[in-house]
Amino acid sequence: MNLTNLFKISIRAVANNKMRSFLSMLGIIIGVAAVIIMMSIGQGSKESIRAELSTMGTNLLTIRPGADMRGGVRQDPSAMQTLKMADYERIIREKKFVTKVSPEVTASGQVIYGNNNTNTSMYGESTEYLDIKLWSVEEGDCFTDEDIKKAAKVCVIGTTVAKELFGSHDPVGKTIRFKSIPLRVIGVLKSKGYNSWGMDQDNVIIAPYTTVMKRINAQTYFSSIVCSAITEELSDAAIEELTQMLRDNHKLGSDAADDFTIRSQAEMMQTMSSTMDTVTIILVVAAAFSLLVAGIGIMNIMLVSVTERTKEIGLRMAVGATGPVISLQFLIESVLISVTGGLLGVIVGVAASTFVSSFGMPSSVPAWSIYVSFLVCVFIGVLFGYIPAQKAANMDPIEAIRHE
């Protein structure tokens, strides 16, 4: 008997028991849909994080104070004072793989204008900071090198601060107070919105680093130093260059550990991607267990089908059908149920992923996940259809014909 006839018989057999066939497919549909949804959310989240980190520059490097140990106690990096003006000046003077550098001093507190106030974060930076972070001023101007030399009381503010303090009015030229220090607003930053961690990137004030160091924090050290490597590919070379400069400046011996840490944006992206991949794998494995249950359900239904059609099998053997032909017929039926359920599961999974993305949750269905789902369904159909098919193929034709 040729394959065309076997397919026709198998399709007819599946169609004759529509409800039973659909219930057998249901487990496959749910399993495939769950796997695709988990994959799409994981992939979408990873792409969203990558895109967000890319907006801050893929060649960004951040130098922070290291984890110092005193009396066996690890010190808080924010309280360490290992990054000084001499480090910044040497980087500016000797850099080869770095293009732009900005020392960073941070503070947080309440900012006031008239009767309005809000809590925000203050960042003391150089004029190169906005270029490093790929940020721009939407209204007004940024401060200048002259403002940095004079520790001028000027700043640029984020759109959230502008809205909280000034509403619909133009903030440029107005004077605000941060920790009782008056600062003249000379610009408003372009909005960046919230990041993946739920942080409002527009709730910020940026001022000359000398202003924050001398007038607000009264400190002589930096919270961090941010740099921009020439290209993403040269980030590792830039890290080696910066490491050597800082070790020399801090007079660290060959056996001494670094009292600073340098992290690249590419490294952060890789770490986040690896974390998301791990989470996605865990979710996919959990969802894939439903496919195992669905496969067992298909095997159970096929065994019932073999028992119900014992007489039919005996008659077909009596007129010349061989064991392999009978086995192939039931394997085709099993694969038909599995693959049809898989195709419906793909449709449901893609539709659900699209629906989820409409609510703001990042999702992206990788094309390979559809192909893998199809192959898995074929595998399940063959694996769990094999035992029923062999049971049918090994029947005694005479006993089968006598079966009632």
Side-chain angles (χ1 to χ4, degrees), residues 331-386:
L331 273 178
I332 291 173
E333 290 181 23
S334 176
V335 171
L336 273 175
I337 292 173
S338 181
V339 171
T340 303
L343 292 175
L344 292 174
V346 168
I347 294 171
V348 172
V350 172
S353 298
T354 304
F355 179 74
V356 165
S357 63
S358 66
F359 286 92
M361 181 176 289
S363 67
S364 175
V365 180
W368 59 266
S369 67
I370 296 175
Y371 306 138
V372 170
S373 297
F374 179 79
L375 293 175
V376 168
C377 288
V378 173
F379 177 74
I380 287 175
V382 173
L383 178 66
F384 291 96
Y386 178 77

Side-chain angles (χ1 to χ4, degrees), residues 247-401:
R247 287 187 64 85
D248 289 346
N249 251 27
H250 298 176
K251 296 179 172 57
L252 298 176
S254 58
D255 296 333
D258 295 339
D259 58 357
F260 57 88
T261 57
I262 305 176
R263 292 287 180 267
S264 68
Q265 198 76 334
E267 182 182 353
M268 186 180 296
M269 290 172 70
Q270 185 177 0
T271 301
M272 293 299 296
S273 294
S274 177
T275 302
M276 288 307 303
D277 285 340
T278 302
V279 173
T280 302
I281 289 171
I282 293 172
L283 293 174
V284 168
V285 168
F289 273 105
S290 62
L291 288 175
L292 177 63
V293 175
I296 295 171
I298 288 176
M299 182 170 65
N300 182 48
I301 291 298
M302 292 306 298
L303 286 171
V304 172
S305 180
V306 169
T307 302
E308 288 180 347
R309 295 158 62 188
T310 300
K311 194 166 186 177
E312 174 195 329
I313 295 169
L315 289 172
R316 292 194 59 211
M317 284 182 167
V319 296
T322 61
V325 170
I326 298 295
S327 176
L328 182 58
Q329 176 190 332
F330 282 92
L331 273 178
I332 291 173
E333 290 181 23
S334 176
V335 171
L336 273 175
I337 292 173
S338 181
V339 171
T340 303
L343 292 175
L344 292 174
V346 168
I347 294 171
V348 172
V350 172
S353 298
T354 304
F355 179 74
V356 165
S357 63
S358 66
F359 286 92
M361 181 176 289
S363 67
S364 175
V365 180
W368 59 266
S369 67
I370 296 175
Y371 306 138
V372 170
S373 297
F374 179 79
L375 293 175
V376 168
C377 288
V378 173
F379 177 74
I380 287 175
V382 173
L383 178 66
F384 291 96
Y386 178 77
I387 294 177
Q390 286 300 106
K391 180 181 178 181
N394 293 331
M395 281 186 178
D396 186 325
I398 297 174
E399 293 296 328
I401 292 172

